[in-house]
């Protein structure tokens, strides 16, 4: 299990390697990437801040819950902090398990739990200002379809 909050770049390859297993028929990797717009505003860059030890403790708890809930072989969660430019990866979630359906369900669940529970804060910076983004808006999604809930 790879769990890390870091200012260093993170990658899909690192996540996939961390969860690879001969017992896994599926590896699912999610990348959260800095986009150039949000809510109709041009985003210049993002700044992430965290309480690393607390964030990693909660990320580990989420990964352990996912392993038990979805029968995963392994789970990796990596989150960047500091200044991130457009196109840079801010979050890597990788899961491995026996079958594809569980890998998709688990990946979605882990990403949503990270957004809800992990003490990481995001500041959006625009040409004309900046704002710390918190709460449900930071999830950028609605409730998962019933078929994806467990």
């Amino acid at each position: 299990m790879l769990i890390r909050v870091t200012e260093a770049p993170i990658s899909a390859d690192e996540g996939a390697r961390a969860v690879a297993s001969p017992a896994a028929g599926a590896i699912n990797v999610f990348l959260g990437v800095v986009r150039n717009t949000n809510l109709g505003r041009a985003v210049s860059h993002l700044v992430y801040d965290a309480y690393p030890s607390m964030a990693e403790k909660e990320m580990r708890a989420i990964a352990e819950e996912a392993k038990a809930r979805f029968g995963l072989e392994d789970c990796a969660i990596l989150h960047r902090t500091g200044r991130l430019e457009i196109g840079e990866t801010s979050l890597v979630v990788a899961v491995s398990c026996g079958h594809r359906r569980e890998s998709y369900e688990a990946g979605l669940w882990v990403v949503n739990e990270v957004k809800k529970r992990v003490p990481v804060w995001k500041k959006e910076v625009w040409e004309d200002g900046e704002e710390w983004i918190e709460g449900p808006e930071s999830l950028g999604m609605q409730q998962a379809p019933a078929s994806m809930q467990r």
Side-chain angles (χ1 to χ4, degrees), residues 1-22:
M1 182 177 305
L2 177 61
I3 304 294
R4 188 169 67 235
V5 173
T6 180
E7 289 191 15
I10 54 179
S11 72
D13 288 343
E14 182 179 16
R17 280 192 311 272
V19 301
S21 164

Side-chain angles (χ1 to χ4, degrees), residues 1-2 18-27 63-64 66-68 70-76 94-99 102-103 106:
M1 182 177 305
L2 177 61
V19 301
S21 164
I27 294 177
E64 292 291 351
K67 286 178 72 173
F70 297 96
L72 301 180
E73 292 297 319
D74 210 346
C75 181
V95 298
S96 62
C97 58
H99 303 282
E102 290 82 3
S103 76

Side-chain angles (χ1 to χ4, degrees), residues 55-99:
E56 289 177 351
K57 180 179 178 183
E58 192 62 27
M59 289 159 63
R60 185 169 303 283
I62 291 167
E64 292 291 351
E65 288 174 42
K67 286 178 72 173
R69 176 179 254 189
F70 297 96
L72 301 180
E73 292 297 319
D74 210 346
C75 181
I77 308 171
L78 302 107
H79 207 302
R80 286 279 307 272
T81 56
R83 180 182 171 130
L84 278 76
E85 302 300 330
I86 305 304
E88 287 192 89
T89 301
S90 59
L91 175 66
V92 173
V93 170
V95 298
S96 62
C97 58
H99 303 282

